[in-house]
Amino acid sequence: MNTRVLRTELKRSVAPWAGTVVLTSALAFLYLVDAGWWRGTTAWTAQWTSLALWTRGLLYYLWPLAVGLGALQGLRDHRSKMSELLTTMSRPAWHRAATLAGTMAITLASAFALLVLVGAVQVLANTEYTHLRWLPISLVGALSLVAGAVLGMGAGRALPSVLTPPLLAMGAFAFTALMQMSLGRTETDTVTGIPITEPNRVSLLSPAVEEVRDALVTLSASVHVGQTIWLLGLAATGFGLLVAATPRTRLLALTPVLAGAVVALLVLPSDPRRMYVLDKAAAVLVCDGPVCVTRTHQAQLTGLARHGKKALRLLHGALGSQAPVSVRENTAVQPEGSMPRWSRETVLFDFDDDIIATAKGEELTWALIAKGMVPGCLPVGWAGTGGEDIARRVAVDWILGLPGQESLNVRREVDTQARAAWKDLKALPRAGQLSRINAMRAAALSCKGDALDTLTGGAHR
């Protein structure tokens, strides 16, 4: 397809409008809605992989739009009453279909590329860690828009009705919704006994992806391969329907999508832990003495190292040989609802943890001490407050030797109870205090006991 043909098709088709709708609606969604894509280390402008995953998440509604707009384009010949005339031309049907589909593909792929480019400019300013492992995620996203549009074009030509575009768009939206909510998820039990749902193999047939929960998580290679096979099958079926002229050839055109689905389901992983995996290269540790962060967050090491070393000195002064000897960003990727795992020798932290994320200046030292003493035993992905907050406040004040010090940002009722627990602890001899603190820390690290109960001897009940 030369430039002259492309310009002509752009003037005659809905392709420019399709690209404009996809790009402007996506940007409006990102910039006008205050949601998870603006927060923490997983913000869509914070890291390359997060950028790719968040823009893929928008396909939840962009893909149905592409399918519907493609179907609208597929009705063009029927609306102009040129179908019979075009069949008498010597030009092969596939040649004309390729020109039509190619114009739509170029426009939608360019729109998605511009969306990624808007985020990429901001990512460049926000991180020092650059890589290309995010590229397959975005390329599959662009392919999904193209495949959806071509499928819609073929369906619009095979079913020439004004109802075809809206019905196809609604059907595509129902498909992505079912993949995210019920059909694409499997219920499983957690260590707490409360059931949760996890994505299954079928959910990966959706072009959209899960909400980004960790900056170190990416899609596995088998997911990229399986989704590419499935999307190529969709595109091939759409193109076949666009070319087909008889009911028999239209039935044959369904073969690629069925074959693509079967092969893709054989390639796609069945275990959720093999779908969203740790990016091992991004998780490589960069250290300043005993303080380490991942390559993804290496720009924050300089500011963190001083506070981490001070926290280790204070912990060693108070706990002696029982104190941790290093501070390290947590790289474990655990399924939602599972119990976190902590180390006695290492203070594990996450930059998105509320205690760490809100700490400024010297508060960061206190926050690292808090993570070393009472790291938290809420299941992964859950949030809440309770006895751990009180125990954590008392433990930090005990390490610092400053009763009543505003060492951590806590609610007023937590502060009141912490002061009472502090007084009870200080009433014990030094050996008794240390025994209580060590027992509390053991319970907090193992997540097999109540930290505050252990600290107070059950007095808080």
Side-chain angles (χ1 to χ4, degrees):
M1 181 168 57
N2 58 41
T3 306
R4 181 178 59 82
V5 174
L6 176 61
R7 285 201 306 266
T8 302
E9 281 297 330
L10 287 174
K11 292 177 182 178
R12 298 174 60 227
S13 72
V14 300
W17 293 105
T20 301
V21 168
V22 165
L23 178 60
T24 55
S25 62
L27 290 175
F29 203 75
L30 286 170
Y31 281 96
L32 299 180
V33 179
D34 183 18
W37 49 76
W38 283 114
R39 300 193 182 104
T41 62
T42 58
W44 81 292
T45 58
Q47 300 291 340
W48 292 103
T49 302
S50 298
L51 163 68
L53 289 173
W54 278 121
T55 48
R56 275 286 296 275
L58 294 177
L59 295 178
Y60 180 83
Y61 76 91
L62 291 181
W63 190 71
L65 270 178
V67 173
L69 290 168
L72 184 62
Q73 178 63 50
L75 293 177
R76 185 178 70 177
D77 293 346
H78 177 74
R79 291 197 310 268
S80 61
K81 297 180 172 54
M82 293 177 58
S83 300
E84 293 184 7
L85 175 62
L86 291 171
T87 59
T88 64
M89 298 178 63
S90 59
R91 186 183 181 187
W94 70 265
H95 193 282
R96 187 169 179 276
T99 301
L100 191 64
T103 304
M104 183 70 81
I106 291 172
T107 306
L108 288 176
S110 298
F112 192 75
L114 284 173
L115 172 65
V116 174
L117 181 61
V118 171
V121 172
Q122 299 173 79
V123 172
L124 280 172
N126 291 332
T127 183
E128 296 179 359
Y129 180 56
T130 302
H131 61 92
L132 293 177
R133 292 184 303 281
W134 60 275
L135 201 53
I137 302 173
S138 292
L139 289 176
V140 172
L143 176 61
S144 69
L145 286 176
V146 172
V150 174
L151 180 67
M153 292 168 68
R157 192 171 192 281
L159 302 169
S161 167
V162 293
L163 296 178
T164 300
L167 288 177
L168 274 179
M170 291 172 60
F173 182 76
F175 173 76
T176 57
L178 287 173
M179 292 299 102
Q180 295 289 319
M181 294 187 298
S182 56
L183 186 60
R185 301 192 71 83
T186 303
E187 186 174 291
T188 184
D189 291 327
T190 66
V191 292
T192 60
I194 300 176
I196 62 169
T197 60
E198 293 181 329
N200 59 32
R201 179 184 292 162
V202 177
S203 70
L204 297 175
L205 297 179
S206 170
V209 297
E210 297 265 293
E211 181 176 332
V212 186
R213 190 165 55 87
D214 193 314
L216 300 176
V217 169
T218 188
L219 290 172
S220 65
S222 57
V223 172
H224 299 322
V225 174
Q227 290 181 334
T228 299
I229 293 171
W230 159 242
L231 292 171
L232 289 175
L234 280 180
T237 288
F239 190 79
L241 290 173
L242 199 57
V243 174
T246 65
R248 184 171 178 273
T249 53
R250 288 175 184 140
L251 283 175
L252 287 174
L254 299 178
T255 303
V257 71
L258 297 176
V262 171
V263 176
L265 289 174
L266 292 174
V267 172
L268 293 169
S270 58
D271 185 351
R273 279 156 287 280
R274 292 176 53 229
M275 299 175 188
Y276 295 86
V277 298
L278 177 70
D279 185 341
K280 294 181 180 178
V284 170
L285 295 177
V286 180
C287 301
D288 181 347
V291 181
C292 301
V293 299
T294 61
R295 290 179 66 191
T296 299
H297 300 129
Q298 61 189 16
Q300 301 184 51
L301 178 59
T302 302
L304 179 74
R306 178 172 62 87
H307 297 288
K309 293 172 183 177
K310 183 177 180 180
L312 290 175
R313 287 197 304 270
L314 291 169
L315 285 165
H316 185 268
L319 302 178
S321 61
Q322 297 296 313
V325 295
S326 62
V327 174
R328 177 168 62 82
E329 183 180 353
N330 195 357
T331 59
V333 177
Q334 295 178 258
E336 186 172 356
S338 63
M339 197 60 71
R341 299 173 183 174
W342 306 114
S343 168
R344 182 180 293 274
E345 292 78 24
T346 302
V347 177
L348 296 173
F349 72 94
D350 189 319
F351 282 109
D352 282 330
D353 188 287
D354 289 341
I355 300 172
I356 301 296
T358 58
K360 306 296 181 184
E362 196 60 27
E363 292 176 359
L364 184 54
T365 302
W366 304 333
L368 291 171
I369 293 173
K371 294 298 293 183
M373 297 299 293
V374 185
C377 288
L378 283 173
V380 175
W382 294 22
T385 58
E388 283 187 343
D389 297 316
I390 302 170
R392 186 178 293 120
R393 172 63 185 272
V394 173
V396 173
D397 285 349
W398 185 83
I399 295 290
L400 297 175
L402 300 170
Q405 172 73 19
E406 292 297 327
S407 54
L408 294 173
N409 294 320
V410 294
R411 295 175 295 115
R412 179 175 297 179
E413 57 268 32
V414 170
D415 182 59
T416 301
Q417 295 179 67
R419 289 173 184 271
W422 162 266
K423 291 179 181 177
D424 292 341
L425 179 65
K426 292 299 288 183
L428 299 173
R430 176 67 185 181
Q433 295 176 33
L434 184 59
S435 176
R436 286 276 184 93
I437 287 289
N438 283 331
M440 177 214 67
R441 184 165 178 257
L445 292 173
S446 65
C447 292
K448 293 181 179 179
D450 188 292
L452 183 57
D453 253 354
T454 306
L455 179 65
T456 63
H460 82 290
R461 291 173 181 264

